[in-house]
Amino acid sequence: MSAGSTEQLAVKDCPTCQRRRIKCDRGLPSCRKCGKRNLECPGYGLQLKWVHGVASRGSLRGRAFPSLDAPMRVSNSPHHSSETLTETRTSGSGITVLDRYSHSTTRFSPSGPSPVSDLCFSQARPLHVSRLLSWFNDRVAHRLAWVPQQNAWRQMILPMAESSETVLSSILAIAAHDLASEYPPNDLGHGTFQQMSKNYQNKALALLAQELSSLSTSSPSALEASTTSAYTLASVILLCNNEFMKPQGAGWRVHLSAAREIILAAGNRPSRHHQLASIEEFLRLEFYEASVWADLTTFDNYNMTIKAPPASGKNAVFTDFIQVINQITRLERLRYCSGTIEQASSYGPMQDIQSQIESARNSMMRLSASIHFSSEADQHGFELVVWMYYHATLIYSHQALSEDSTASDHVQKSRDEILRYVQFLSETRDGMFAQDLVWPLFMAGTELREHPTGQNIIQECFGNVMRISRTLDRARVLSFVETWWNDPGTHTSWIDMAREQSQSSQCDILIV
């Protein structure tokens, strides 16, 4: 860099360059050496991770709980050193990108179970915060929900940001990450919002550490513990969804583990306030569904414990199908361990899977009549997605459990039906339910070896899903299917291929 250059540099090397033992160029918002090798530069803020500790006091006493790998404080000062939004500047122009928000840098309360920010109740909310909250409300919440008209993210979780700095920071982190995707990778806006997302994520993690510490070292009142638990769980689930949006990353597994511990620790609490109970019920449902999808590609560390979704049917849109998928996965793992499906059934009553799939479809069709769709076309689109889930789950049941040589005809029929429905859907409003199509597209794709026409349809549909509802892990899901198409016959099923790849950490994808 020339002596007269106005480019601003970070004060230390990025963690990736440190790990690679090379000299970092310290560029902002991320170093160019990482970019040249297609590595995700983590920036220059605190790099935090969950570890497990054991609480000796408080409502988490005796439980392993998620904590941070190093103690961390959140300063009361409005002028932080490396973690504020003021550290990134434009290069060359002399115009600050994030400094203009420095007047409203968030102040954190160092004590109490759910820190309340001056920012939340300010009449003059900073421009970037208002924009990110609007973006979450208008765009992100839509992509997180099965059905836009039944959106608990907008109705339950977003209002929590008014009273919890932790939830607010988590929402801002995921909104900024999503907004960054609106810009080309080399655009200044992309880097600006990515850095903003990392900063808010670090703040959320720091506040989570305080809340968990409060729960584990003290004995708060039942209401206080319930409130803290709801805010903490909401923040962890939000951060988990934020990790879902990062391709080639598996940080979501860590957050899922943290959410599991929080849920288990709250299991013996007294009855909660009705509103808090509804929020926690929704969050538990989100955790359950994410865990089922994660289990599809979990083998060595698969948890044989039977999972049960929350009892409430509210917000449970595709949960009936997900319950059947969960049972199929469990029986497949038991079958693999024992050698036969008959032996696997000795672990519990062997139920009629196909009957359960039929029941899930009928339940979903009844639900369709109770949802207030904006048009008949939207309702028809939803019903097409239900049929696609029906056929996708049938395919999975045959692949995982069937030993009937005649089952291939049923599988091919279901595969062709999915291809037919997805083409109908693309002719209407595929954008309405694009986020729901990964599972049926994946299952149809696993039955398209030596079918180039069908493969082209799957590739095109995956491209549309990623264009409309973000890439997430979907590029790697498609890459896995393409690898399966080219498999020379060394594996009997995609499940066997995924099981083998998992031994070398090559298969850590999320099919959602």
Side-chain angles (χ1 to χ4, degrees), residues 281-455:
E281 198 80 8
F282 164 69
L283 293 170
R284 288 167 186 245
L285 182 62
E286 287 293 307
F287 165 77
Y288 168 78
E289 294 175 348
S291 298
V292 172
W293 296 124
D295 284 348
L296 287 171
T297 53
T298 302
F299 298 95
D300 292 342
N301 296 319
Y302 179 76
N303 186 355
M304 289 291 186
T305 303
I306 297 177
K307 300 181 183 67
S312 172
K314 188 177 181 181
N315 297 302
V317 180
F318 278 83
T319 307
D320 286 352
F321 278 122
I322 294 172
Q323 280 186 270
V324 184
I325 293 168
N326 177 44
Q327 185 174 356
I328 295 170
T329 301
R330 181 172 181 272
L331 288 174
E332 194 282 332
R333 302 300 187 268
L334 290 170
R335 177 187 185 183
Y336 180 80
C337 293
S338 62
T340 66
I341 191 66
E342 288 78 13
Q343 286 178 276
S345 66
S346 66
Y347 289 86
M350 183 61 182
Q351 300 179 13
D352 184 353
I353 296 293
Q354 186 164 347
S355 175
Q356 291 183 55
I357 298 173
E358 298 274 354
S359 177
R361 182 198 62 197
N362 295 336
S363 175
M364 292 294 298
M365 287 302 184
R366 289 193 297 271
L367 177 64
S368 173
S370 67
I371 298 175
H372 300 293
F373 292 100
S374 57
S375 68
E376 289 185 7
D378 288 347
Q379 181 170 358
H380 179 59
F382 177 76
E383 291 172 354
L384 288 179
V385 176
V386 172
W387 275 106
M388 291 170 72
Y389 263 71
Y390 167 76
H391 286 292
T393 310
L394 278 177
I395 292 174
Y396 184 45
S397 68
H398 285 298
Q399 291 175 339
L401 304 177
S402 178
E403 295 180 341
D404 184 359
S405 59
T406 64
S408 59
D409 291 339
H410 299 291
V411 169
Q412 289 179 16
K413 180 180 177 181
S414 288
R415 175 201 67 192
D416 294 341
E417 289 292 273
I418 291 174
L419 295 178
R420 186 165 69 92
Y421 289 137
V422 78
Q423 289 177 299
F424 284 154
L425 197 61
S426 64
E427 293 169 3
T428 54
R429 290 186 62 187
D430 63 336
M432 178 65 68
F433 303 106
Q435 67 270 19
D436 304 330
L437 300 183
V438 178
W439 168 245
L441 289 175
F442 175 82
M443 292 313 304
T446 61
E447 291 294 332
L448 286 170
R449 297 172 77 175
E450 301 179 1
H451 289 272
T453 302
Q455 292 174 7

